[in-house]
């Protein structure tokens, strides 16, 4: 296992890639719907449909990207070159997504649809699937996988917190309106490229090299498997499917966070309080994630995640019961954020363990397995964002109205409070069926 050991610098290089991904994902998830409805003037339903329909293409792009990784034999490795090739065009696409030209309504939604798919389906896939695949390619140690997964998610959450707190400050600081959105997106695109380049250049792909030395292993023959064989291997791995299911539900709640800015503006009366809502969930979670580095040696990933989701449900229910009381509602969100920390931190490591230690393991198709989980993440995010648009439209949301109707207020509460609680309850049921033998307690 000594050959498998990652240095602290390498672990940090892997982790900062999470900040790179979240410079894009968090900005799009939290603000794209609001930008399209309140700045461009697009209807909430159309904005939601743009996101959801784009997820159809992700079903092919993520699995396809996973296949490319499994078949890749670059000098740098299987995954890292894809990240380097994608970071610059990804930043350009992000900037263009938040620069919708003034033209007919139909032309605007077509433009937004194309740019959104470039950001997520094309470059989001060619960045995210390789970057998370590094969890399995950099080490085969369950303990080390847990450590780098927690470190990465801690930095992810910190990046998400900063983006959701300061994006609107940047938009206003850059002049507001269209100019502000464009320059903010451009800045985040540059930061994303820098962080992801650090990951691509700073992490070594060990397990891929070891597979070359062991030509009789499943990993060595992975590139000779047909697509049908790879899909069969994946979809017979119950644990992998359960983790993908929890990922999808987790990111439905993340996608629904696009409703936070509507909650801040139309229920709390100040759109800049969107940062406080994000901080209530994310900051306590960051502290909890740091504690997990010590607890992970004593409890299994399943137990930590399960106990956390029970806490999240309790906190979410408290927030729902006090939806009109700002202080008590924030307390509920804080508890929910603490509860969500274990699963959010450990999902990538659970994918790696499902690949390696399940009865029906996925050795040789690591890329496709992470592609499946990446698809679950992006489909969940898209579904959450689509739900925001659908519920706002169903509630009669009017972008130019300072005061919204009771139906719209109920829709906003459902998006921000009720849906995340429902997702956590279903996750608990899924985790009860997860069973991987890694030697953890």
């Amino acid at each position: 296992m000594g050959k498998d050991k990652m240095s602290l610098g390498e672990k940090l290089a892997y982790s900062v890639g999470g900040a790179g991904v979240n410079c894009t994902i968090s900005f799009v998830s939290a603000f794209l719907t609001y930008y399209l409805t309140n700045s461009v003037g697009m209807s909430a339903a159309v904005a939601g449909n743009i996101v959801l329909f784009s997820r159809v293409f992700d079903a092919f792009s993520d699995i396809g990207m996973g296949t490319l990784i499994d078949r890749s034999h670059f000098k740098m490795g299987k995954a890292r070159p894809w990240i380097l090739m994608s970071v610059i065009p990804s930043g350009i696409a992000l900037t263009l997504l938040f620069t919708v030209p003034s033209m007919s309504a139909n032309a605007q939604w077509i433009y937004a649809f194309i740019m959104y798919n470039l950001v997520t389906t094309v470059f989001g896939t060619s960045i995210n699937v390789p970057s998370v695949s590094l969890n399995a390619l950099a080490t085969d140690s369950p303990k080390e996988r847990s450590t780098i997964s927690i470190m990465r998610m801690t930095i992810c959450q910190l990046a998400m917190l900063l983006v959701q707190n300061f994006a609107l400050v940047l938009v206003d600081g850059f002049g507001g309106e269209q100019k502000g959105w464009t320059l903010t997106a451009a800045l985040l695109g540059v930061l994303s490229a820098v962080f992801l380049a650090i990951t691509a250049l700073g992490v070594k792909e060990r397990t891929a090299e070891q597979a070359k030395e062991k030509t009789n292993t499943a990993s060595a023959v992975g590139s000779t498997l047909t697509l049908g064989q790879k899909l069969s291997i994946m979809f017979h791995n119950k644990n992998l499917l359960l983790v993908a299911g929890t990922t999808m539900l987790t990111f439905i709640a993340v996608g629904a966070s696009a409703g936070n800015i509507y909650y801040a503006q139309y229920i709390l009366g100040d759109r800049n309080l969107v940062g406080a809502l994000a901080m209530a969930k994310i900051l306590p979670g960051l502290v909890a994630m740091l504690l997990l580095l010590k607890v992970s040696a004593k409890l299994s990933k399943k137990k930590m995640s399960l106990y956390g989701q029970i806490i999240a449900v309790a906190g979410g229910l408290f927030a729902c019961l006090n939806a009109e009381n700002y202080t008590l509602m924030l307390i509920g969100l804080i508890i929910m954020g603490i509860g969500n920390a274990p699963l959010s931190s450990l999902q990538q490591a659970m994918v790696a363990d499902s690949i390696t230690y399940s009865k029906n393991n996925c050795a040789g198709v690591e890329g496709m397995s992470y592609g499946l989980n990446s698809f679950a993440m992006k489909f969940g995010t898209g579904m959450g964002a689509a739900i925001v648009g659908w519920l706002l439209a169903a509630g009669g949301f009017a972008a130019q109205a300072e005061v919204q109707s009771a139906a719209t207020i109920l829709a906003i509460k459902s998006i921000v409070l009720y849906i995340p609680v429902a997702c956590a309850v279903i996750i608990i049921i899924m985790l009860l069926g997860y069973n991987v033998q890694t030697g953890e307690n």
Side-chain angles (χ1 to χ4, degrees):
M1 193 64 67
K3 191 175 182 179
D4 232 10
K5 192 75 174 175
M6 296 177 70
S7 68
L8 176 59
E10 199 175 356
K11 291 175 182 177
L12 289 172
Y14 172 78
S15 301
V16 297
V21 171
N22 267 277
C23 282
T24 299
I25 290 179
S26 293
F27 187 54
V28 172
S29 298
F31 298 107
L32 179 61
T33 302
Y34 183 83
Y35 165 71
L36 292 176
T37 59
N38 288 47
S39 182
V40 178
M42 199 174 290
S43 77
V46 170
N49 286 335
I50 286 173
V51 176
L52 181 65
F53 292 155
S54 298
R55 299 284 70 82
V56 175
F57 299 103
D58 270 338
F60 302 97
S61 69
D62 286 302
I63 299 299
M65 189 67 235
T67 301
L68 285 175
I69 292 172
D70 291 330
R71 292 179 177 272
S72 295
H73 300 286
F74 296 109
K75 186 176 180 180
M76 284 184 66
K78 297 163 73 71
R80 296 185 295 156
W82 294 105
I83 301 173
L84 284 177
M85 287 187 284
S86 303
V87 291
I88 293 177
S90 174
I92 294 172
L94 178 66
T95 305
L96 293 175
L97 175 60
F98 282 86
T99 313
V100 177
S102 178
M103 47 189 173
S104 70
N106 286 340
Q108 283 184 326
W109 78 255
I110 292 172
Y111 174 93
F113 179 82
I114 292 172
M115 292 304 160
Y116 181 81
N117 275 279
L118 284 176
V119 171
T120 60
T121 307
V122 179
F123 302 120
T125 297
S126 60
I127 287 173
N128 191 59
V129 176
S131 64
V132 296
S133 294
L134 287 173
N135 188 286
L137 294 170
T139 177
D140 61 7
S141 164
K143 181 178 179 181
E144 207 159 48
R145 285 172 174 175
S146 292
T147 299
I148 63 175
S149 184
I150 292 170
M151 289 175 65
R152 178 184 171 91
M153 187 50 65
T154 300
I155 292 179
C156 279
Q157 294 291 303
L158 180 60
M160 188 183 300
L161 180 65
L162 292 173
V163 169
Q164 294 194 22
N165 269 277
F166 294 106
L168 291 178
V169 175
L170 289 172
V171 170
D172 292 338
F174 285 135
E177 300 303 326
Q178 183 57 71
K179 179 183 177 183
W181 289 105
T182 298
L183 292 178
T184 300
L187 175 60
L188 291 174
V190 171
L191 291 174
S192 175
V194 171
F195 291 136
L196 286 164
I198 291 172
T199 295
L201 297 173
V203 179
K204 182 180 179 182
E205 297 183 26
R206 290 170 177 76
T207 60
E209 290 185 1
Q210 292 168 10
K212 292 179 184 177
E213 300 170 4
K214 301 176 182 179
T215 57
N216 62 332
T217 63
S219 292
V221 301
S223 61
T224 67
L225 295 173
T226 67
L227 177 60
Q229 289 172 321
K230 291 182 177 184
L231 290 172
S232 178
I233 290 171
M234 278 200 317
F235 288 108
H236 280 86
N237 188 321
K238 180 194 73 171
N239 293 310
L240 181 65
L241 296 179
L242 286 171
V243 175
T246 66
T247 299
M248 182 184 70
L249 290 164
T250 297
F251 280 88
I252 286 177
V254 171
S257 68
N260 285 352
I261 191 167
Y262 296 96
Y263 197 102
Q265 181 165 338
Y266 299 110
I267 295 180
L268 303 180
D270 182 359
R271 75 170 191 170
N272 290 314
L273 288 177
V274 65
L277 296 177
M279 191 176 296
K281 278 190 177 182
I282 296 173
L283 193 57
L286 281 171
V287 176
M289 287 177 186
L290 295 175
L291 295 176
L292 286 174
L293 289 171
K294 293 187 177 181
V295 179
S296 62
K298 300 179 181 179
L299 289 175
S300 69
K301 299 176 185 69
K302 173 180 176 176
K303 287 182 179 178
M304 287 189 286
S305 300
L306 187 58
Y307 298 157
Q309 288 302 296
I310 292 172
I311 293 172
V313 170
L317 289 174
F318 184 81
C320 290
L321 293 173
N322 296 280
E324 300 291 340
N325 187 314
Y326 176 54
T327 302
L328 294 180
M329 186 269 293
L330 282 184
I331 292 173
L333 292 183
I334 289 170
I335 296 171
M336 196 172 192
I338 293 171
N340 282 329
L343 181 62
S344 297
S345 302
L346 297 168
Q347 271 169 335
Q348 299 302 333
M350 291 168 76
V351 173
D353 288 347
S354 297
I355 293 170
T356 307
Y357 297 103
S358 292
K359 181 178 179 181
N360 295 305
N361 70 65
C362 292
V365 290
E366 293 90 349
M368 283 189 66
S369 298
Y370 273 102
L372 175 65
N373 203 62
S374 177
F375 168 67
M377 179 189 75
K378 290 197 287 183
F379 181 83
T381 305
M383 178 61 75
I387 288 172
V388 173
W390 293 340
L391 289 184
L392 286 175
F397 172 73
Q400 306 307 318
E402 293 186 8
V403 179
Q404 299 294 330
S405 68
T408 301
I409 297 300
L410 176 60
I412 294 172
K413 289 180 182 177
S414 299
I415 292 165
V416 175
L417 300 175
Y418 307 154
I419 289 174
V421 172
C423 288
V425 171
I426 301 172
I427 287 173
I428 289 173
I429 297 171
M430 288 185 167
L431 287 173
L432 291 172
Y434 178 81
N435 184 27
V436 171
Q437 303 300 324
T438 62
E440 297 175 306
N441 296 321

